[in-house]
Amino acid sequence: MSDDPWGLNTTPAVPAEALPPLPPRLADLAELEARGERRLLEPGQEFQFVGAADLPEVQALAADGWHLASNNPWDYCLPAIWPAQHRSWVLDRLPRIGSASCVGSDGVERQWLVPGDAEDEDDWESLQSEKAWAAETCGLPVPPSGRLWLLRSPWPTLGLAVVLNLIRRLHDEQHPDQGSTDEGCAETTRAAIELLTWEEEQVWAWWRGPDADTAQAWRRAGRVGDDVADLVLVCLDPADTTRLLAPAVDGGAGLTEEQAVAWARTTGTRGSVAVEATLAWRAQGMPADPPEALYWDLDWLTPAEYGEWLGAGFTFDDLKIWRRRPLDDAVRWREAGFALGDARELVMADQAVTPAEADAFDDAGIDPRARLKWLATGFAAAEARAWTDLDVYPHEARVWRAFGMTLDDAREHLAAGGDPLPPGRELGWIGLSDDRRARRYMVIDPPGTRGSVAEQAEDPFFGRPRPRR
């Protein structure tokens, strides 16, 4: 191994004085970081995370065949053992900006942009310590900080993504029972060292499986390397790809190769199965670029079931809101005049609530945000109205109920100048502030209590199941 495995004396691919200006969005975040200030996002605005691939110098190098090194913990040390002519680095000038959010007592979630130096320094230092420890387990010196590593494949016919996959495969063959991340990094690095000593055709001869068959098919078609690496990893051979790229009128999906790969990844399928899944979703009107939320929000639906929702007049966004609940329920709430987002919040508060029960809170003059809290804590509209008239909040009313005390008990206690909680009780609570409305008290709900709070039935401090009476 080299005496200088990290190339401490090598110069960056783009010298500091030649770095292009940051694009406006990154420049804005860099200025925010430099000032060390938080910024409150506008209602409905979501923070779009930035990564090294957003840096213009990284994009320029990517156009020349370079790829950002994997940030998987098992791969931390690969840059140190990679052939020097096939690795490079640039200065890490990515703004360190995170986000923080909380729900206020009014039930509204607010989100801030937070400079890393203000909030995430411990996480940053922890990451550097983790990388240093990984290097030690691999017998390497501490890696230099402030670098973004870029790699390229040492073999022209094998793309970098394929090479990294083959390193992991060799590791798995050598260590089928590998456990911890620390050991995984060391053994992955050793597997990489071994693989990188092989000749290109030796790699091809060793490689077996559906992805190898796919790569061979593309090789026979005259396409190799990074050009087809993503297609190879999802096992889309020339015939599969041709079908997905064909227009819909010809039985295809009308995609680009990048979109075909994205659909395979989104549906978690490969090869001919990915082709059929993609065609089925496209037949339901899904766009060429698969929705990012498809896997997470519609993994419970087949394309045909999704078509039933469309036939009932619902949209993809509706299904994202109404996740995992039956179509009949969505129709019932819509017919009762509820927006699907409002209905979803109501059934999240109490899965058994009906539209009529929810309407009763309006009739009782209970604010919609307060209604959610009353439902979550298992109170009906009339009870909520009575407790509200006593200036008792939902989790306070829950305490009275937990100790077998009634509204009349509370009225008598409050009329005598007492506070909103039963007298003589020692109670623990959790909350984001000292505001009474934000507190959740450590009590046990009576058997049969409705609402999400009782359904959780666990100790909020330790996450342990708690006894039911």
Side-chain angles (χ1 to χ4, degrees):
M1 187 176 293
S2 167
D3 293 335
D4 182 21
W6 294 104
L8 298 181
N9 296 319
T10 60
T11 58
V14 182
E17 62 274 12
L19 288 170
L22 289 173
R25 180 160 171 264
L26 289 183
D28 177 58
L29 294 176
E31 182 180 354
L32 186 69
E33 179 186 16
R35 295 198 307 267
E37 297 177 359
R38 295 186 174 209
R39 178 184 298 167
L40 181 65
L41 295 179
E42 297 295 327
Q45 181 184 3
E46 293 186 3
F47 173 48
Q48 299 296 317
F49 286 92
V50 296
D54 296 309
L55 292 168
E57 61 270 27
V58 171
Q59 294 171 354
L61 289 165
D64 287 335
W66 292 94
H67 303 266
L68 284 164
S70 165
N71 205 32
N72 186 306
W74 283 27
D75 301 333
Y76 281 160
C77 295
L78 292 186
I81 56 89
W82 210 258
Q85 67 272 33
H86 296 295
R87 75 172 183 195
S88 188
W89 63 277
V90 294
L91 294 169
D92 184 359
R93 56 175 184 150
L94 191 69
R96 286 163 51 197
I97 298 290
S99 67
S101 63
C102 70
V103 178
S105 58
D106 57 0
V108 177
E109 183 176 6
R110 294 172 176 82
Q111 189 175 29
W112 291 264
L113 299 185
V114 181
D117 286 338
E119 292 289 331
D120 297 329
E121 192 64 34
D122 288 343
D123 291 341
W124 177 259
E125 294 298 335
S126 176
L127 177 61
Q128 304 316 304
S129 297
E130 184 179 328
K131 290 184 175 181
W133 173 249
E136 182 180 346
T137 66
C138 295
L140 295 165
V142 175
S145 61
R147 292 186 177 189
L148 296 174
W149 290 99
L150 297 106
L151 306 177
R152 62 186 179 191
S153 172
W155 302 300
T157 61
L158 297 165
L160 180 69
V162 168
V163 174
L164 295 177
N165 183 268
L166 294 180
I167 289 171
R168 186 61 47 79
R169 185 170 303 185
L170 179 60
H171 162 274
D172 291 345
E173 286 184 3
Q174 296 172 341
H175 306 280
D177 300 321
Q178 187 64 260
S180 74
T181 298
D182 297 331
E183 293 176 352
C185 182
E187 300 300 349
T188 296
T189 303
R190 294 188 184 100
I193 291 172
E194 177 178 343
L195 189 73
L196 291 170
T197 65
W198 295 2
E199 296 295 332
E200 189 167 12
E201 288 306 318
Q202 183 181 356
V203 178
W204 278 100
W206 163 78
W207 186 15
R208 292 289 185 270
D211 51 353
D213 295 339
T214 303
Q216 291 285 11
W218 280 112
R219 194 181 193 187
R220 291 191 295 271
R223 294 179 62 184
V224 294
D226 285 328
D227 182 35
V228 291
D230 290 337
L231 291 165
V232 166
L233 291 179
V234 294
C235 298
L236 292 177
D237 63 23
D240 292 329
T241 305
T242 297
R243 188 175 177 194
L244 290 175
L245 269 57
V249 294
D250 296 329
L255 306 177
T256 64
E257 289 184 358
E258 292 77 12
Q259 290 167 336
V261 170
W263 269 105
R265 290 172 174 167
T266 296
T267 56
T269 55
R270 303 199 304 170
S272 60
V273 177
V275 173
E276 298 305 325
T278 302
L279 291 172
W281 281 110
R282 289 284 282 148
Q284 296 297 340
M286 281 290 181
D289 292 314
E292 291 183 6
L294 180 66
Y295 179 80
W296 297 107
D297 292 318
L298 297 190
D299 63 320
W300 52 288
L301 285 179
T302 66
E305 290 168 336
Y306 173 69
E308 294 177 7
W309 282 80
L310 295 182
F314 294 100
T315 67
F316 176 67
D317 287 338
D318 289 333
L319 268 77
K320 288 168 59 179
I321 293 170
W322 199 244
R323 180 175 169 83
R324 295 188 179 279
R325 294 194 65 84
L327 172 59
D328 290 346
D329 285 358
V331 171
R332 179 163 55 96
W333 282 95
R334 183 179 62 185
E335 290 177 346
F338 286 85
L340 211 56
D342 294 337
R344 175 63 178 169
E345 287 189 319
L346 290 166
V347 296
M348 287 290 288
D350 177 4
Q351 63 176 346
V353 67
T354 66
E357 289 174 327
D359 276 331
F361 281 85
D362 290 334
D363 297 338
I366 301 296
D367 177 84
R369 301 309 306 181
R371 171 175 61 185
L372 293 174
K373 294 181 179 180
W374 286 112
L375 285 170
T377 48
F379 290 94
E383 296 172 310
R385 179 71 270 166
W387 285 109
T388 299
D389 290 342
L390 292 179
D391 193 30
V392 174
Y393 293 118
H395 277 285
E396 295 168 341
R398 179 172 167 256
V399 175
W400 288 91
R401 182 185 60 199
F403 287 114
M405 305 178 78
T406 66
L407 271 162
D408 289 337
D409 295 326
R411 286 193 187 96
E412 181 179 348
H413 174 67
L414 293 166
D419 61 30
L421 294 172
R425 307 288 182 176
E426 293 293 331
L427 293 170
W429 58 272
I430 57 175
L432 297 174
S433 72
D434 286 337
D435 189 319
R436 287 169 48 204
R437 293 169 292 184
R439 295 184 179 184
R440 176 171 169 173
Y441 293 93
M442 307 287 289
V443 295
I444 299 174
D445 296 291
T449 301
R450 284 171 51 177
S452 60
V453 173
E455 288 167 4
Q456 291 171 9
E458 66 177 24
D459 182 327
F461 281 135
F462 303 106
R464 293 196 297 260
R466 62 189 185 189
R468 303 295 298 238
R469 292 191 293 182

